[in-house]
Amino acid sequence: MAFHLKSITGHKARAGLAALALALSSTVALAADKLQYFTWSGYELPDFNKSFLAAHPDGVEATIFGDDDDAFTKVKAGFRPDIAHPCYDKVARWNKEGLLQPIDTKRIKNWDSIFPVFKNLPDLQAGDGKVWMVPWDWGNTSILYRTDLVKNPEASWNLLWDKQYAGRMATIDAVHDTPIVAALLAGVNPFDMTPDQMDKVAAKLREQRPLLSSYTTDMTSVEQALASGQLVAAMTWNASATSLKKQGVPVEFMKPKEGMLTWACGFVMLKDAKNVDLAYDFINSRLDADSGKFLIQSYGYGSSLSTAFAGVSKDELDKLQLPSDPEVMLKSTIFTGPMKQNDDVAKMFEKVKAGG
């Protein structure tokens, strides 16, 4: 906001400056009263927090991150939102850096409706009825492929290493996605690697690199490339499959024999949050059953709430490849937990991508 003062003298100048100071202080107060939310692209939609906006019109300002590694780096460097939206596998890392404050579950009105498999995750527990993250969304990472261009492929992550599709495949540019899959194919535990095992994973990633058109987290571009046929297969999340099927594009979201990756994400409150009461209002709004239902139906992601699933028909859930109980899904998928060597794997992945 810019203010321009022209030829104001004496009493008028003092009055003008007083008014200016009042305007500036009001602007600062308004900014301080607006919840600062740091999240993934697509999660800032007002449909997810209607009751919050009814009580606090224009009460939230969202800032978008590329992925939660990017978010961690920015927060560690000094960016201070009130609430952020990382995934479970990163929470211990945020907590270790002293970035978080515990969230009191007594102030979370629908806490009891969250599936136990999520609310009881070990790295979330802060003691005394408090948690470091309130789970909100979960979903799967797998291969989305064009069924008319890739005929009857083996149900395996190896498709993204298939030389016949060189230059027409893409993968996710994130340490908790592509390196995990490479580890699975190399016969290595993705979440706890020795140096020798990490070398095996690096070799697997180098084998894949010349076959890819890109490493990316831009799912909009990936979806467009799949729709046009420029790509025939890509690592994506559920939402891309849901979006392209709605457009009539012939795609299938694979169930690899090695297992899809299943992730869970949610809300953390930053240690220096200035709007704590607003933060609780926001989280409670996001835990309305209608919010979770909108998440399921719009993106094909799972809600952490059993009450949200109750509002979606079995036929619709079957089309989205979502069970009404996430524990059913987790029996056949790989749950993305914390990686003990996260930083070392990240450095290795960057080196491989750069040609090393």
Side-chain angles (χ1 to χ4, degrees):
M1 183 180 294
F3 292 86
H4 302 281
L5 299 179
K6 295 181 181 179
S7 307
I8 302 178
T9 59
H11 176 74
K12 288 184 179 180
R14 289 191 294 274
L17 289 170
L20 171 59
L22 179 62
L24 286 171
S25 65
S26 298
T27 301
V28 171
L30 284 171
D33 289 338
K34 184 174 286 194
L35 182 78
Q36 301 299 314
Y37 174 41
F38 198 26
T39 191
W40 308 80
S41 177
Y43 279 176
E44 75 282 9
L45 300 183
D47 303 80
F48 289 130
N49 40 262
K50 288 182 177 179
S51 61
F52 176 86
L53 291 174
H56 310 283
D58 196 33
V60 59
E61 182 175 317
T63 303
I64 306 302
F65 54 69
D67 64 25
D68 49 3
D69 286 317
D70 170 48
F72 173 77
T73 300
K74 289 178 180 176
V75 171
K76 189 178 176 183
F79 179 59
R80 288 292 181 268
D82 297 304
I83 287 182
H85 194 154
C87 292
Y88 167 67
D89 60 298
K90 301 297 192 302
V91 172
R93 193 175 181 211
W94 288 54
N95 203 13
K96 184 179 178 182
E97 291 292 332
L99 300 174
L100 307 179
Q101 62 174 289
I103 297 171
D104 188 351
T105 60
K106 296 185 186 69
R107 296 186 65 179
I108 305 300
K109 65 180 183 181
N110 284 331
W111 179 254
D112 289 341
S113 296
I114 296 176
F115 289 107
V117 70
F118 296 129
K119 67 181 180 182
N120 294 331
L121 286 167
D123 284 343
L124 301 193
Q125 311 311 312
D128 195 27
K130 297 179 179 179
V131 292
W132 297 112
M133 182 184 89
V134 174
W136 185 67
D137 56 312
W138 61 274
N140 294 316
T141 303
S142 189
I143 300 173
L144 186 62
Y145 66 94
R146 284 282 299 263
T147 55
D148 56 333
L149 301 175
V150 180
K151 300 290 188 179
N152 302 314
E154 179 189 13
S156 171
W157 283 107
N158 280 311
L159 176 59
L160 294 181
W161 275 258
D162 193 328
K163 294 179 181 179
Q164 68 178 308
Y165 302 116
R168 303 182 70 189
M169 300 182 293
T171 194
I172 295 176
D173 186 8
V175 67
H176 48 273
D177 288 300
T178 300
I180 287 180
V181 170
L184 292 173
L185 294 178
V188 170
N189 177 357
F191 309 108
D192 190 8
M193 306 182 204
T194 66
D196 285 346
Q197 289 172 331
M198 200 174 300
D199 288 343
K200 289 183 180 179
V201 176
K204 194 67 181 172
L205 289 168
R206 289 190 193 96
E207 181 186 326
Q208 182 191 42
R209 184 183 61 220
L211 307 178
L212 298 174
S213 68
S214 66
Y215 300 92
T216 183
T217 56
D218 182 358
M219 291 297 112
T220 300
S221 296
V222 169
E223 290 165 21
Q224 291 170 348
L226 282 166
S228 71
Q230 179 183 349
L231 290 178
V232 300
M235 181 189 287
T236 72
W237 303 302
N238 310 54
S240 295
T242 301
S243 175
L244 290 180
K245 285 182 178 181
K246 285 180 179 178
Q247 296 172 43
V249 180
V251 292
E252 187 62 35
F253 198 54
M254 183 185 284
K255 292 183 178 179
K257 62 184 182 182
E258 301 87 3
M260 293 181 179
L261 307 185
T262 297
W263 43 263
C265 308
F267 306 117
V268 298
M269 198 179 305
L270 277 294
K271 186 177 182 180
D272 301 323
K274 294 180 173 63
N275 299 293
V276 171
D277 290 337
L278 280 179
Y280 277 104
D281 287 352
F282 181 83
I283 293 171
N284 281 323
S285 179
R286 288 274 171 139
L287 289 176
D288 287 338
D290 285 346
S291 173
K293 180 180 177 181
F294 181 77
L295 175 69
I296 294 168
Q297 294 179 321
S298 299
Y299 289 166
Y301 292 146
S303 167
S304 66
L305 296 167
S306 58
T307 50
F309 275 91
V312 183
S313 71
K314 185 180 183 304
D315 285 347
E316 190 168 3
L317 290 175
D318 288 345
K319 289 177 183 176
L320 295 169
Q321 295 180 279
L322 278 180
S324 58
D325 182 347
E327 292 199 53
V328 173
M329 178 72 75
L330 289 169
K331 288 177 182 177
S332 62
T333 64
I334 309 296
F335 185 65
T336 306
M339 300 173 73
K340 289 187 178 180
Q341 294 79 27
N342 185 93
D343 291 349
D344 291 336
V345 175
K347 290 174 184 175
M348 174 270 287
F349 189 35
E350 289 301 317
K351 183 178 179 180
V352 169
K353 288 187 297 178

